[in-house]
């Protein structure tokens, strides 16, 4: 649903820009196309800028980065944003074919974040498979419903993956909002199927940028929401590793990525979406998902 809706939205958006350029500004086709592409990229640059404004306005204490490092951080995040939402997700099936689930290997299930789909894992899936894992994924739909309503879909996928691989338990690896959905799953279904939970830049105590987000799940991720207050009383009964991004531009204040009782691992400076393509983050994830925690 997410890839289809993104592709439809992008098609309509570009058509609107072309219509404005041709009918409103009376531009020739080459100039109209250039204007449409420029506007498309400019709108994404504005969205990306807003996330950094929030990230800096509500930043937790952290060592200051130099101008060049900050500029590179923001540029890499913008490129990752464009790649993810203009190319990867709309054309998900080209980037992320069906899961390959061989038996006899430790199993990880990748759970995406807000407004995304399983396609965001296309690069990290290759790293996990190269490291000897059977790698499963799931798309949580509809994308803007309550996180609690996403849990049954996650549960179905967990059971299907265990049946397909013969594994008794698996490791959940979750980016951003996905970590909260996994915690809700553990609170509802227990830990019989789960060996470990590894969260990546998950706003365990909420994020300020959720206040401008769409959907019920955005309301639930607002700091001090009733949903988060309820979840705070649910202690996961499995080992949890929280990979925290001290310079995150979506999960802020960044210290709200901490989860009491979890192993806290600080990541290098990287953007919230760019971390899905970063080799240093990949190594940290593989280290957190030590194979000894999985049972076949």
């Amino acid at each position: 649903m997410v890839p289809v809706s993104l592709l439809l939205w992008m098609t309509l958006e570009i058509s609107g820009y072309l219509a404005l350029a041709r009918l409103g500004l009376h531009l020739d086709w080459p100039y109209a196309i250039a204007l449409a592409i420029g506007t498309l990229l400019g709108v994404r640059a504005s969205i990306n800028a807003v996330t950094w404004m929030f990230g800096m306005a509500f930043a937790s204490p952290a060592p200051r980065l130099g101008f060049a490092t900050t500029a590179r951080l923001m540029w890499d995040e913008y490129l990752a944003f464009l790649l993810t939402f203009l190319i990867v997700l709309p054309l998900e099936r080209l980037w992320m074919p069906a899961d390959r689930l061989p038996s006899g290997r430790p199993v990880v299930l990748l759970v995406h974040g807000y407004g995304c789909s399983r396609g965001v894992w296309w690069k990290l899936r290759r790293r996990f498979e190269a490291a000897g894992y059977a790698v499963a994924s799931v798309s949580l739909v509809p994308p803007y419903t309550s996180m609690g309503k996403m849990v049954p879909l996650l549960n179905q996928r967990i059971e299907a993956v265990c049946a397909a691989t013969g594994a008794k338990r698996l490791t959940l690896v979750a980016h951003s909002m996905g970590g909260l959905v996994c915690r809700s799953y553990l609170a509802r279904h227990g830990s019989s199927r789960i060996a470990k939970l590894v969260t990546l830049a998950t706003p365990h105590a909420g994020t300020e940028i959720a206040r401008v987000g769409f959907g019920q799940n955005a309301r639930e991720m607002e700091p001090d929401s009733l949903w988060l207050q309820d979840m705070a009383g649910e202690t996961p009964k499995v080992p949890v590793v929280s990979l925290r991004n001290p310079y995150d531009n979506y999960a802020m204040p960044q210290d709200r990525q901490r989860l009491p009782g979890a192993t806290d691992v600080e990541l290098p400076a990287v953007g919230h979406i760019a971390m899905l393509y970063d080799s240093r983050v990949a190594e940290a994830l593989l280290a957190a998902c030590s194979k000894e925690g999985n049972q076949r």
Side-chain angles (χ1 to χ4, degrees):
M1 179 178 177
V2 174
V4 174
S5 61
L6 279 175
L7 185 59
L8 177 61
W9 172 259
M10 191 165 61
T11 301
L12 293 174
E13 186 179 0
I14 293 175
S15 298
Y17 298 149
L18 284 173
L20 176 63
R22 288 285 294 164
L23 303 177
L25 301 177
H26 307 291
L27 297 179
D28 293 335
W29 274 110
Y31 295 105
I33 293 172
L35 178 64
I37 293 174
T39 304
L40 187 77
L41 298 179
V43 168
R44 271 79 190 158
S46 298
I47 294 172
N48 199 47
V50 168
T51 69
W52 287 110
M53 289 171 59
F54 269 85
M56 295 176 181
F58 296 98
S60 297
R64 295 191 63 178
L65 302 175
F67 175 81
T69 301
T70 301
R72 178 60 184 269
L73 192 70
M74 297 173 70
W75 175 249
D76 288 348
E77 176 71 358
Y78 175 57
L79 294 180
F81 187 93
L82 294 180
L83 173 63
T84 300
F85 289 99
L86 294 185
I87 300 176
V88 174
L89 294 187
L91 304 173
E92 179 187 288
R93 292 186 180 182
L94 298 178
W95 295 80
M96 192 77 169
D99 293 337
R100 302 173 285 268
L101 298 174
S103 59
R105 297 185 181 185
V107 183
V108 295
L109 174 57
L110 307 176
V111 186
H112 65 81
Y114 176 82
C116 296
S117 73
R118 59 186 288 275
V120 298
W121 297 107
W122 68 274
K123 188 171 184 180
L124 279 169
R125 180 170 75 166
R126 297 177 184 180
R127 292 294 300 271
F128 273 101
E129 288 179 336
Y133 288 90
V135 187
S137 58
V138 63
S139 287
L140 302 174
V141 293
Y144 302 115
T145 189
S146 168
M147 287 183 282
K149 292 183 178 179
M150 296 176 177
V151 170
L153 193 62
L154 177 59
N155 178 54
Q156 292 172 15
R157 188 60 181 148
I158 289 171
E159 294 299 325
V161 169
C162 288
T165 60
K168 296 179 180 178
R169 307 173 78 192
L170 55 79
T171 293
L172 291 171
V173 176
H175 179 234
S176 195
M177 180 201 74
L180 296 175
V181 178
C182 290
R183 286 177 56 198
S184 184
Y185 164 85
L186 288 167
R188 188 178 304 182
H189 294 281
S191 59
S192 61
R193 288 295 196 188
I194 309 303
K196 179 183 292 186
L197 169 61
V198 179
T199 65
L200 181 60
T202 290
H204 289 291
T207 173
E208 292 293 339
I209 204 170
R211 301 188 191 279
V212 298
F214 298 103
Q216 181 60 30
N217 47 353
R219 305 289 74 74
E220 292 167 350
M221 286 190 287
E222 293 178 8
D224 301 318
S225 71
L226 291 176
W227 196 93
L228 288 175
Q229 290 178 37
D230 288 341
M231 283 305 304
E234 300 287 351
T235 302
K237 300 301 191 294
V238 299
V240 180
V241 181
S242 174
L243 277 64
R244 175 175 48 83
N245 181 6
Y247 300 98
D248 203 279
N249 55 312
Y250 280 85
M252 82 288 293
Q254 290 77 7
D255 279 347
R256 288 181 176 268
Q257 299 169 44
R258 298 181 188 272
L259 179 65
T263 300
D264 180 70
V265 178
E266 183 173 308
L267 294 171
V270 65
H272 188 78
I273 299 171
M275 68 175 60
L276 296 170
Y277 305 98
D278 191 286
S279 60
R280 300 167 300 173
V281 175
E283 291 300 324
L285 278 173
L286 289 170
C289 295
S290 58
K291 297 180 182 179
E292 62 193 31
N294 291 59
Q295 297 180 12
R296 296 177 189 155

